[in-house]
Amino acid sequence: MDPEADNTVHILVVEDNPINQKLARYMLTKAGYRVTIAKDGEEGLQSYTANSSRFDLIFMDIQMPRMNGLEATRRIRETEHTGGTFQLDLHIPIIAMTAQSMKGDREKCLEAGMDDYIAKPIKKELVLEAVKKWLPGKA
Ligand code: MN
């Protein structure tokens, strides 16, 4: 059976911190979701563009080496504009995970094309709440 053919919600976590990677994987897997981890923005962008339809939602760290979360999000959003036409069904929810909720951070995330924002340290309740909020009827 094609593992991509099932209806399990598949979440891409783009995060460079190994502890946060483990934490996110544990929480999301335990809640019944499939999880793929990318260790920085560049790897996240590659994972996404290699087969964009296999993911349902992305959690995106902001500060990462090689490519940060804002840039990775902008690039992902660019791929959603095909032939100059924005297609809503191609819009994957991207939720920022940021270390400090500094003033202006939320605006920066939304400007880059993110849909939502949760503050670190990662809390299970907030993570699962965000998944359900952005995948209504699916998660
Ligand atoms: Mn980071």
Side-chain angles (χ1 to χ4, degrees):
M1 195 192 125
D2 177 6
E4 307 295 348
D6 66 41
N7 290 322
T8 308
V9 167
H10 192 171
I11 296 173
L12 177 62
V13 176
V14 189
E15 165 67 64
D16 65 317
N17 181 299
I19 294 170
N20 287 332
Q21 289 173 359
K22 274 186 195 162
L23 207 58
R25 185 193 289 283
Y26 177 76
M27 288 171 183
L28 293 167
T29 304
K30 212 170 171 229
Y33 306 129
R34 289 188 63 202
V35 179
T36 294
I37 305 279
K39 68 179 187 308
D40 57 45
E42 195 159 315
E43 196 177 292
L45 179 64
Q46 278 165 13
S47 298
Y48 177 75
T49 53
N51 185 356
S52 58
S53 63
R54 73 186 167 133
F55 295 114
D56 299 289
L57 183 143
I58 300 174
F59 280 108
M60 183 75 80
D61 182 25
I62 302 297
Q63 295 189 328
M64 292 181 284
R66 298 209 297 167
M67 186 189 291
N68 71 31
L70 298 173
E71 181 64 17
T73 298
R74 282 187 210 106
R75 304 275 201 99
I76 287 169
R77 291 301 181 222
E78 279 169 21
T79 70
E80 293 176 334
H81 293 72
T82 47
T85 318
F86 179 73
Q87 292 179 269
L88 191 63
D89 61 338
L90 291 181
H91 183 96
I92 186 165
I94 302 180
I95 300 164
M97 299 188 298
T98 89
Q100 287 122 3
S101 37
M102 291 188 326
K103 203 170 184 284
D105 264 11
R106 191 181 176 90
E107 287 68 27
K108 269 187 225 162
C109 292
L110 299 180
E111 264 171 36
M114 291 170 171
D115 299 288
D116 209 348
Y117 170 107
I118 60 173
K120 285 184 187 169
I122 300 171
K123 288 182 196 70
K124 188 180 84 180
E125 295 72 25
L126 291 181
V127 167
L128 299 184
E129 203 178 281
V131 175
K132 291 198 188 314
K133 176 180 172 187
W134 288 99
L135 297 176
K138 206 171 179 186

